[in-house]
Structure formats: structure tokens, C-alpha cells
Amino acid sequence: MRKIELVLALDVLEREKALDIANDVKDYISHIKVNYPLVLSCGVGIIGELSKIKPVIADFKIADIPYTSEIIARIAFENGAKAVIVHGFAGRETVKAVLNVAKEFDGEVYVVTELTSSEEFFKGISDKIAKMAVELGCHGIIAPSTRPERVKALKEIVGDIKILCPGIGAQGGSLEVVKYATHIIVGRAIYNSKNPKKSAEEIYKKLSQLD
Ligand code: 3DU
């Protein structure tokens, strides 16, 4: 049976709150995804602290020239991240630069194909991004649960690499994507809930039933 993992998107601003929530829900999640809100508020050291609880995915959506992208990826991995997220539209050389750093740390690279919030500039592009991710040996893609039909199409392109889908919960994404995804990324529906542990448990159980 295929197991779909739950990734906590921890976009809170306070260190204590981040650590409390992560500890609270750790039994139900496979990874903690850290984004700019938390790192810009608490400093990059929070990646190491959270890594003691669960492996951290550094969601810096790296989208710069290869030189700068490599530095950003290195900072993430040196601080304990197990994976980084890079924007595919930044191009092959940028993704390669990030992959080279990841190799040094035995880390993984996930490529954003298209955003949940807008497909305006991704139409016709995201399929090419997915193809590139596979060709370069990336470990996964980020695909939008708000458009399950796109996740299905992207799955046909990428095959068996990881597919991580944000957008479930606050953004109204569809759990239909569990047919194609390996990981579901959930933020506000857990950390803004009155009882984050209970909410994470409920989502976790739902994922197990849908499997
Ligand atoms: O909407 P939520 O609160 O469940 O958080 C979703 C997280 O996933 C958040 O960190 C956001 O930056 C990230 N993400 C998307 O929501 C959509 C994407 O296409 C890519 C990343």
C-alpha cells in the first residue's frame, strides 16, 4: 500500500511557537517545511533546532543565478536542512548548481513546477520544468493541490520521483491529489488550529484512509 506523508508547513514567526507546534504534531508528520517567514523572524539556526524534531525542508524557492543559488542552498544544508526547494523557472543551470551542493550533503532537491495560487505564467512551462527535474536527477517536484488535473499530468511526466502538494486546507486544495502525490504539505490548517495536534492527527488519519 502506498503511504502518503504529511509535511508541516511551519510559517509561524516565533521560535517558541514553532518548536512547540513541531513537538506537538511530530507523531503525524514526516518533515517540517521552513519558509522565509520563520527564518527571517528567528534566524537560520531554527533549521537546526527543528531538525532535532523532524527532517527539515528549506523552502527558500531558490530562483537566482547559479552562483547565488548555490550559496543559499549551502546555507540551508549547513544549517541542517535535508532538502531544499528551487524554482524550476530559474533554469537548468540554477537547478544544477543547487543539486551539486545537495550532493555534498546527501540532501534532496524539490523543484516548483507551478504555484497553487496562479498558473498565469506557468501554462506550457510547468511540464517542461517537470521534465527538466527528472532529467537532472532531482528528487521531487512541488505541484498544486488546487489543480488536481495538473498534478495528474505532472505525475505522468515525472513518474516515481516525489510529488509534494501544498494547498490543502487554507487554500482549498483537493485531497484528490493523493492519487498522485507522495507528500501533502499543510500549514495554516494545522498551526492556526485551536488544537494543532488534533488537526494534524485528523489529516494524518484521513490520508491513511485515502491511501
Ligand atoms: O496554505 P498553507 O498555510 O497550508 O501553507 C502552504 C505552504 O506551502 C506555504 O509555506 C507556502 O509558501 C507553500 N507553497 C504553496 O502554498 C504553494 C506553492 O505552489 C508552493 C509552496
Side-chain angles (χ1 to χ4, degrees):
M1 193 162 55
R2 214 161 65 85
K3 186 163 183 290
I4 295 151
E5 308 272 17
L6 175 60
V7 175
L8 171 66
L10 198 47
D11 297 327
V12 298
L13 305 184
E14 302 89 15
R15 175 181 170 276
E16 292 296 321
K17 189 172 176 185
L19 292 169
D20 282 353
I21 294 173
N23 271 313
D24 230 22
V25 308
K26 66 173 188 277
D27 291 345
Y28 306 111
I29 61 172
S30 64
H31 295 79
I32 299 164
K33 187 178 77 64
V34 168
N35 199 336
Y36 288 111
L38 186 58
V39 165
L40 293 177
S41 304
C42 302
V44 74
I46 191 73
I47 295 179
E49 288 192 271
L50 288 168
S51 293
K52 291 180 190 142
I53 303 169
K54 282 285 164 177
V56 169
I57 301 169
D59 182 6
F60 297 150
K61 293 190 183 66
I62 304 171
D64 216 310
I65 59 169
Y67 175 79
T68 314
S69 297
E70 181 186 328
I71 297 173
I72 297 168
R74 187 173 298 285
I75 292 171
F77 286 121
E78 279 176 352
N79 278 279
K82 285 284 171 241
V84 297
I85 295 178
V86 58
H87 253 307
F89 70 67
R92 201 169 286 269
E93 293 309 315
T94 286
V95 178
K96 275 196 226 164
V98 171
L99 267 170
N100 283 340
V101 182
K103 268 183 208 136
E104 281 179 41
F105 292 87
D106 207 16
E108 301 202 338
V109 177
Y110 309 141
V111 180
V112 179
T113 53
E114 58 185 270
L115 289 174
T116 51
S117 52
S118 168
E119 54 181 339
E120 188 179 2
F121 298 119
F122 286 103
K123 274 202 178 130
I125 303 295
S126 54
D127 286 2
K128 288 186 194 160
I129 291 174
K131 239 177 255 164
M132 174 194 68
V134 178
E135 280 165 17
L136 295 182
C138 293
H139 307 82
I141 58 164
I142 310 291
S145 71
T146 46
R147 292 187 293 283
E149 74 290 352
R150 288 296 305 138
V151 182
K152 181 173 191 261
L154 290 163
K155 162 85 182 156
E156 277 162 22
I157 295 168
V158 302
D160 286 337
I161 66 171
K162 293 175 184 167
I163 300 180
L164 299 90
C165 289
I168 302 286
Q171 299 180 51
S174 165
L175 270 176
E176 197 191 321
V177 295
V178 298
K179 287 189 220 154
Y180 323 110
T182 55
H183 297 70
I184 296 297
I185 299 171
V186 181
R188 285 165 285 178
I190 295 175
Y191 68 73
N192 277 347
S193 145
K194 279 203 186 91
N195 188 338
K197 186 174 183 174
K198 193 159 163 266
S199 299
E201 184 184 7
E202 279 168 13
I203 299 166
Y204 176 86
K205 283 191 174 153
K206 215 181 267 179
L207 290 179
S208 319
Q209 285 158 12
L210 284 166
D211 251 0

